Amino acid sequence: MSNKLDHSMSLANPNTKGVSIQQKIALAIGLVGLFILALAIFNTNFPNQGVFLTLSLILITAGTILFANDLYLKKLEGIKNDGVWFKSISSRGILGWLTGVGLTAFYIVLYFKAELLGLGTNGEANTGLVALFDPLSRILSGNPASQWFVYGTLYTVAIIVFGYKFILKYRHNRYQQIRTVSVMFFQLGFAFLIPEFMARLNTSPEYNLPYYDLKSMWPLNYYLFDGWSLDGLLSSQNLGLGMLIFGVVTIFVISPILTYKFGKRWYCSWVCGCGGLAETAGDSFRQLSSKKMSAWRIERWLIHTVLVFSVVMTIAMIYTYLGSDPNKYWLTRGTFLAGAATILTLVFSVVMIFKRKELGKDARYGAIGYFAIIISLLIMHYTGTTNEVFFIKSGSLRSAYGLYIGSIFSGVIGTGFYPILGNRAWCRFGCPMAAILGFQQRLFSRFRITTNGGQCISCGNCSTYCEMGIDVRSYAQKGENIVRSSCVGCGVCSAVCPRGVLKLENDTLDGRINSNEILLGNDVDLMDFVNKK
Amino acid sequence: MEEHIAIIGNGISGITAARHIRKMSDKKITIISAETEYFFSRTALMYIYMGHMKFEHTQPYENWFWEKNRIELKNGFVSEVNHKANELVFASGEVMAYDKLIIAVGSKPNKFGWPGQDLDGVMGMYHKQDLENLEKHAPNNQVCKRAVIVGGGLIGIELAEMLHSRNIPVTFLVRENSFWDAVLPAGESGMINRHIQNHHIDLRLGMNLKEIVADDNGKVKAVVVQETGEVIDCNVVGLTPGVSPNVDFLKDSGIELGRGVKVNRFLETNIPNIYAIGDCAEQHEAIGNRRPIEAVWYTGRMMGETLAQTICGNKTEYKPGHWFNSAKFLDIEYQTYGWVFGRAQEYEQQFHWIHEDDTKCITVSYHKETAEFLGINTFGIRMRHEIFDRWLTEKRDVNYVMQHLAEANFDPEFYSVYESDILSAYKKSQLQTT
């Protein structure tokens, strides 16, 4: 056992470092559960699907729980990252690559070739893997399973069993435990069960509710304003209208208030399903996120470009949905566009007037650039300069967004590449919701990570284990508070710090950003001198 | 031509000085090291062996940082300082001229002349080379069936934790009758003893090393314990009985040496334009209760900050503020602010509180007569540096501190809090003493 990484791609040397007998048994149990799913993928039609599905899920769950128990319960409470960089799975070794490629392949099939999983097309019955999930789906919603039901079930199981593992790993840390219970709850209840139950309402002819995860906000659920979604909601009487209004209120009222009070963590690491999977199943990969300056640069441009894309696409979608006749629609195309332009201008001016100083130079230029693009598109359309280039094609804009961002970026790369890019690649580089919340967090939130005076010894545990690729140490060693847009408040930097230097706090806005390089521990005169400069 | 500042040593002191000089000036800066190409955080070496981090993670700056900030890095071992000619002579024979010289060479592990102390498989845990050596001799518990650690300080317990993470059995020989009891009051030291044993580390208190025994190949085979004569078979011996300044190469340089390089409060040596900072610097007079040589990470940083001011024209005295420090004993974090002595001083009264789970405790020190708050040690509870710094400056009395302890709490959200338990225990103890 050496700590030299094994770069040979030899399959003859599967890495079993530190795997005890109990862990091997647990792995075997879990793999039998997965094997049933694998058989189903290869179109084995099980005689009693309900029994085999139950068996498979129980074996997977039991395997993970036994493994976690053996891994953590035999040791005293405390940070247990021993050997993370020696294990093939968590250091981009062979197992890591195999997992990454396997997950990616699964996502590609799931999104683009679901019939390979056994999805019945043209009214045919499901076969294979999807058919295996039919009994469960019928119990919940009354309908046969779809590939999304299969995915949703496995996703929920993953969050719950790996959430259990995470809770054991951090059983000395109440913040981590409560936060994990929260993401498990929201995934199981809000993302999985409630939408399935809601689908039952659709048996009544008046109801046509879309699959709606109540906690999932625009622009993460970019399809909220799609035609079929709006049609479904509006045709479902008060319940549907209420949900639509709730969706809009969460964006403009609830989320800014919560973000003001607690930072974006209330969503990203306590509620969100993408975050939930990243924090639980993805926890073993958090150290893989790049902390390089170059990665930070790419991140800032990429995530905001996705946001702009999503704003433009949404405006276009709603625009095409609306009509021009004021007698038929209370909201016409014209007023909608004017309204959108007004809101964007308002947000932009407020930021530029009151918070200009808090933005970096490139952030200012970027904001001005993006704002100019959106507004000029709106003006061009509003004044009739162009009628075709942009909005008429809103359908293809929508499908491009759905394909490149919604499917490839968030699923295939975001989750499939966990073992390569770290567990928050989507949240960090692509999620438009994270961009909006991050913007609020950076400019007007009471949340910050405070650093404890002069106690930092620059060891680098915080930066290594930051899943968002923030170089936490660079702030901590200067005694500077951390107010970064991307911080999801997972609290692991604080947990892994061997000197107790970092703390997540909600406090007043004053003194939130202490950009002076303070020299805590030094004589006060020198500090005054340096801070005055 | 800008002044040339040469810095020997790329540890935290030298690097901090260089960074701050660069911030304030355009001087030419060269940092010389024979240990590693780039600055890394020595305190994190243990996490590399434990697999928490890779070596690159211990480097706080990316490799392009140095060139971008025009800080030259020179790989080489300085064997001689010729201050008359303002020149450094390297082991390779090369010569480098400087205008100002900063000596920031740090320390080396102590060795007390034990028989066998230079055998193969015997090592300290200080340099990157020590880590490579450990990786060679203790890659796993097949190659290394047992390790013995000699010396009961912070590096010793870190080494024990490292070996423990690879399931290598460890015997820990500590000269004192309780772990680190020269620094920690008895209640705390006792709790750490038990914590070490709970990790199944074979802790031997009050035991000294007599000799290290070699096998036929000149490798470690066993150690002999002074007190009992017991022979403990082992494949690795870690010697961690403290460090001392690494200044042998300056013996004939004309620079005044004590145990380290003698400096005044401006960090100047007896030779103009030569300064010393960090672990290798020795104050003529100790500052307050501090020792003349402080091998502490953050004092190295502060000396670098201070000296950078002096070199850039704002002559500044080195004035460390209130004492503070922190460490981690396996799973228990330790922080200290102000002064709590292991054996209470004449004027000092100590209040000790320990939680029933035996992993959290605090000790508060105050003046017997004036009740002035003097310091606090906390284990398993994080405290806020800024607040204690302020309370010490304001010379608060101990009652005030105990009443307001919650303000200083720095534990993560949702953690159990113990301030009211501590306060009621404190009140009880006051009733008994009066």
Side-chain angles (χ1 to χ4, degrees):
Chain A
M1 191 159 66
S2 105
N3 76 342
K4 298 285 174 287
L5 291 182
D6 185 5
H7 291 295
S8 78
M9 287 293 283
S10 161
L11 290 172
N13 180 26
N15 199 315
T16 55
K17 276 176 193 123
V19 182
S20 72
I21 300 201
Q22 288 89 331
Q23 287 170 22
K24 284 176 188 159
I25 294 171
L27 273 175
I29 293 172
L31 286 174
V32 171
L34 279 179
F35 184 66
I36 294 177
L37 296 184
L39 283 181
I41 287 182
F42 292 109
N43 252 336
T44 308
N45 278 315
F46 288 99
N48 196 334
Q49 289 154 336
V51 172
F52 276 94
L53 177 65
T54 314
L55 189 65
S56 165
L57 296 183
I58 286 179
L59 287 173
I60 292 173
T61 307
T64 317
I65 288 176
L66 290 173
F67 190 93
N69 286 352
D70 188 74
L71 194 58
Y72 300 117
L73 288 181
K74 288 184 175 171
K75 298 178 191 159
L76 298 183
E77 295 177 5
I79 288 300
K80 298 290 175 262
N81 285 321
D82 292 349
V84 163
W85 282 102
F86 306 151
K87 288 178 190 145
S88 182
I89 183 91
S90 54
S91 63
R92 298 195 191 101
I94 297 166
L95 292 182
W97 274 95
L98 284 177
T99 314
V101 171
L103 279 175
T104 307
F106 174 72
Y107 272 95
I108 290 173
V109 172
L110 181 76
Y111 278 106
F112 306 110
K113 278 272 168 215
E115 58 275 15
L116 292 180
L117 298 176
L119 181 72
T121 43
N122 304 325
E124 284 171 41
N126 291 328
T127 54
L129 184 67
V130 183
L132 189 67
F133 284 74
D134 277 341
L136 181 62
S137 182
R138 283 188 207 285
I139 292 173
L140 294 174
S141 68
N143 303 320
S146 67
Q147 83 270 36
W148 301 119
F149 181 78
V150 174
Y151 177 55
T153 311
L154 293 177
Y155 196 101
T156 307
V157 169
I159 287 185
I160 288 173
V161 299
F162 286 102
Y164 172 79
K165 178 171 179 270
F166 190 85
I167 287 174
L168 288 194
K169 181 176 178 184
Y170 288 97
R171 67 190 196 283
H172 63 294
N173 189 319
R174 285 267 294 284
Y175 181 77
Q176 297 302 339
Q177 294 184 319
I178 296 175
R179 185 174 70 87
T180 307
V181 169
S182 169
V183 292
M184 287 158 82
F185 167 79
F186 279 105
Q187 175 61 31
L188 181 64
F190 281 65
F192 186 63
L193 293 178
I194 294 177
E196 293 299 328
F197 295 150
M198 271 164 40
R200 277 197 178 263
L201 294 175
N202 288 344
T203 45
S204 142
E206 301 99 89
Y207 279 88
N208 189 19
L209 287 171
Y211 189 94
Y212 192 65
D213 174 356
L214 284 169
K215 67 176 174 47
S216 186
M217 271 185 285
W218 178 88
L220 193 56
N221 75 343
Y222 53 92
Y223 38 81
L224 176 64
F225 298 109
D226 280 4
W228 56 268
S229 169
L230 290 174
D231 278 338
L233 288 168
L234 292 175
S235 70
S236 304
Q237 300 165 356
N238 288 339
L239 181 62
L241 191 62
M243 281 166 57
L244 183 59
I245 291 171
F246 177 74
V248 176
V249 170
T250 47
I251 305 161
F252 292 105
V253 183
I254 300 176
S255 105
I257 291 177
L258 287 171
T259 308
Y260 165 72
K261 282 182 169 260
F262 307 110
K264 74 195 247 194
R265 58 181 170 153
W266 76 268
Y267 189 72
C268 294
S269 67
W270 284 73
V271 171
C272 177
C274 306
L277 191 73
E279 293 293 341
T280 52
D283 176 58
S284 310
F285 309 109
R286 56 186 320 125
Q287 66 282 356
L288 300 175
S289 62
S290 171
K291 278 82 189 178
K292 287 191 180 143
M293 183 76 92
S294 49
W296 187 18
R297 280 214 187 97
I298 295 171
E299 168 192 324
R300 282 180 293 178
W301 283 103
L302 199 51
I303 192 172
H304 293 111
T305 307
V306 171
L307 176 61
V308 168
F309 190 5
S310 128
V311 167
V312 170
M313 185 269 298
T314 306
I315 291 176
M317 284 307 298
I318 300 178
Y319 174 84
T320 21
Y321 186 79
L322 298 169
S324 314
D325 181 3
N327 298 324
K328 248 176 105 187
Y329 292 88
W330 64 270
L331 186 62
T332 59
R333 291 181 167 186
T335 35
F336 168 72
L337 280 190
T342 312
I343 291 175
L344 287 172
T345 313
L346 207 64
V347 170
F348 180 78
S349 349
V350 167
V351 170
M352 281 300 158
I353 293 167
F354 296 106
K355 296 281 179 182
R356 197 176 51 239
K357 281 189 201 130
E358 294 187 14
L359 291 176
K361 207 196 230 170
D362 58 341
R364 272 205 303 275
Y365 292 158
I368 293 168
Y370 285 139
F371 178 71
I373 292 171
I374 298 184
I375 294 298
S376 54
L377 284 171
L378 290 174
I379 289 173
M380 269 158 61
H381 187 83
Y382 202 53
T383 54
T385 317
T386 164
N387 229 343
E388 307 230 328
V389 190
F390 190 60
F391 290 130
I392 298 301
K393 302 254 182 203
S394 76
S396 44
L397 199 63
R398 155 70 177 79
S399 56
Y401 185 89
L403 176 70
Y404 294 113
I405 312 292
S407 313
I408 296 178
F409 204 157
S410 82
V412 178
I413 298 175
T415 310
F417 282 26
Y418 270 10
I420 314 296
L421 296 176
N423 56 336
R424 285 266 193 182
W426 158 247
C427 313
R428 180 183 179 191
F429 293 104
C431 177
M433 185 73 218
I436 292 184
L437 294 177
F439 184 68
Q440 296 170 0
Q441 168 164 287
R442 179 72 180 77
L443 294 178
F444 62 87
S445 170
R446 298 164 32 143
F447 172 72
R448 85 289 311 265
I449 304 178
T450 37
T451 61
N452 202 7
Q455 292 282 19
C456 174
I457 53 165
S458 294
C459 72
N461 271 294
C462 51
S463 291
T464 306
Y465 286 89
C466 177
E467 55 190 353
M468 294 304 284
I470 301 172
D471 190 359
V472 184
R473 164 176 54 196
S474 66
Y475 298 85
Q477 63 192 0
K478 291 181 254 182
E480 245 178 66
N481 289 346
I482 299 152
V483 278
R484 280 274 292 269
S485 311
S486 57
C487 176
V488 292
C490 70
V492 168
C493 57
S494 160
V496 297
C497 176
R499 296 291 185 273
V501 173
L502 301 160
K503 183 175 194 290
L504 278 57
E505 291 194 84
N506 307 311
D507 203 346
T508 53
L509 290 176
D510 301 333
R512 189 170 72 106
I513 302 173
N514 54 342
S515 57
N516 286 330
E517 180 149 356
I518 55 164
L519 310 155
L520 253 177
N522 255 320
D523 171 64
V524 222
D525 299 345
L526 180 58
M527 282 172 61
D528 286 349
F529 176 80
V530 173
N531 289 340
K532 247 179 256 158
K533 263 195 157 178
Chain B
M1 183 67 189
E2 284 289 348
E3 203 175 27
H4 180 202
I5 315 288
I7 302 172
I8 314 179
N10 70 348
I12 181 63
S13 322
I15 294 294
T16 309
R19 274 181 47 240
H20 284 259
I21 292 170
R22 173 54 71 242
K23 264 192 192 171
M24 294 181 280
S25 75
D26 273 330
K27 295 180 199 297
K28 177 176 153 80
I29 302 172
T30 308
I31 298 175
I32 302 153
S33 168
E35 187 185 9
T36 53
E37 196 179 356
Y38 297 106
F39 169 51
F40 73 101
S41 197
R42 192 174 301 288
T43 47
L45 275 178
M46 64 182 291
Y47 299 108
I48 301 172
Y49 180 84
M50 292 167 70
H52 294 211
M53 291 198 258
K54 294 204 285 182
F55 183 69
E56 66 193 56
H57 298 127
T58 69
Q59 296 178 174
Y61 305 98
E62 286 182 66
N63 295 349
W64 49 258
F65 177 87
W66 309 103
E67 203 188 324
K68 184 175 171 242
N69 289 289
R70 290 170 295 117
I71 296 175
E72 272 178 50
L73 304 178
K74 161 126 187 95
N75 183 296
F77 186 85
V78 176
S79 55
E80 218 178 293
V81 176
N82 180 353
H83 67 80
K84 287 188 185 115
N86 282 357
E87 276 174 358
L88 301 175
V89 182
F90 287 87
S92 61
E94 208 182 326
V95 172
M96 177 192 275
Y98 63 81
D99 296 307
K100 285 188 173 134
L101 175 67
I102 301 176
I103 301 170
V105 289
S107 356
K108 57 181 187 341
N110 285 334
K111 287 187 175 181
F112 292 127
W114 289 296
Q117 68 181 12
D118 294 316
L119 288 172
D120 223 13
V122 181
M123 64 203 73
M125 183 38 63
Y126 191 86
H127 297 104
K128 181 170 185 250
Q129 286 74 17
D130 290 327
L131 190 70
E132 284 158 7
N133 207 8
L134 186 69
E135 191 60 59
K136 187 177 135 206
H137 289 285
N140 57 43
N141 58 11
Q142 302 305 309
V143 175
C144 178
K145 306 269 187 211
R146 177 167 290 276
V148 174
I149 297 168
V150 182
L154 296 177
I155 297 182
I157 196 166
E158 286 180 354
L159 185 53
E161 183 179 0
M162 289 161 71
L163 293 159
H164 180 68
S165 78
R166 295 203 189 176
N167 297 319
I168 295 171
V170 177
T171 297
F172 196 3
L173 297 185
V174 174
R175 183 181 59 181
E176 293 78 22
N177 289 319
S178 186
F179 180 80
W180 218 34
D181 67 356
V183 177
L184 301 180
E188 300 170 351
S189 171
M191 186 182 90
I192 299 300
N193 289 341
R194 296 186 291 278
H195 187 62
I196 294 171
Q197 282 156 343
N198 287 342
H199 279 86
H200 308 292
I201 290 165
D202 174 26
L203 177 66
R204 309 282 189 90
L205 295 168
M207 301 263 173
N208 284 281
L209 173 67
K210 187 178 175 202
E211 64 167 312
I212 304 170
V213 186
D215 68 4
D216 299 339
N217 304 319
K219 270 200 68 181
V220 170
K221 189 174 77 176
V223 300
V224 182
V225 179
Q226 177 101 54
E227 282 72 14
T228 58
E230 185 188 355
V231 178
I232 302 172
D233 289 335
C234 62
N235 306 96
V236 160
V237 175
L239 296 180
T240 60
V243 293
S244 45
N246 183 22
V247 293
D248 294 344
F249 75 107
L250 295 172
K251 262 184 190 146
D252 305 315
S253 64
I255 299 170
E256 189 191 349
L257 301 180
R259 283 181 59 225
V261 183
K262 289 279 195 182
V263 292
N264 62 17
R265 288 294 290 273
F266 295 95
L267 305 166
E268 298 164 329
T269 66
N270 60 321
I271 312 282
N273 289 344
I274 299 187
Y275 309 84
I277 53 177
D279 289 15
C280 67
E282 179 179 355
Q283 291 285 327
H284 292 291
E285 309 268 322
I287 302 171
N289 282 323
R290 290 167 181 268
R291 297 176 192 178
I293 300 176
E294 282 191 307
V296 185
W297 198 89
Y298 76 84
T299 54
R301 189 202 78 215
M302 287 176 354
M303 287 188 217
E305 288 164 351
T306 310
L307 182 59
Q309 297 286 340
T310 300
I311 284 188
C312 296
N314 171 40
K315 190 163 179 180
T316 306
E317 200 180 344
Y318 171 57
K319 279 200 257 172
H322 300 292
W323 168 255
F324 67 93
N325 204 6
S326 57
K328 194 170 178 187
F329 303 105
L330 298 157
D331 295 319
I332 299 182
E333 288 172 21
Y334 154 70
Q335 296 183 336
T336 181
Y337 302 99
W339 290 103
V340 181
F341 288 95
R343 288 175 199 87
Q345 308 284 307
E346 250 174 84
Y347 56 82
E348 188 186 357
Q349 181 80 42
Q350 293 183 351
F351 161 70
H352 181 68
W353 169 88
I354 184 163
H355 188 260
E356 59 188 11
D357 73 3
D358 208 22
T359 64
K360 299 168 200 77
C361 71
I362 71 162
T363 306
V364 177
S365 164
Y366 56 98
H367 199 286
K368 263 179 192 160
E369 266 105 55
T370 62
E372 182 188 333
F373 169 69
L374 299 175
I376 184 167
N377 283 354
T378 70
F379 289 77
I381 300 175
R382 293 177 175 181
M383 293 284 176
R384 204 181 287 265
H385 185 175
E386 234 177 311
I387 297 218
F388 279 113
D389 216 49
R390 201 175 71 220
W391 286 346
L392 287 163
T393 303
E394 293 168 350
K395 295 184 184 302
R396 290 285 180 184
D397 80 80
V398 63
N399 289 314
Y400 177 89
V401 170
M402 298 308 285
Q403 302 278 359
H404 293 80
L405 210 51
E407 281 171 36
N409 188 300
F410 200 70
D411 273 334
E413 291 150 299
F414 308 118
Y415 267 43
S416 307
V417 290
Y418 305 100
E419 283 84 16
S420 56
D421 289 4
I422 295 171
L423 185 62
S424 60
Y426 170 72
K427 281 181 177 157
K428 218 181 263 174
S429 78
Q430 292 308 90
L431 287 176
Q432 280 159 5
T433 49
T434 49

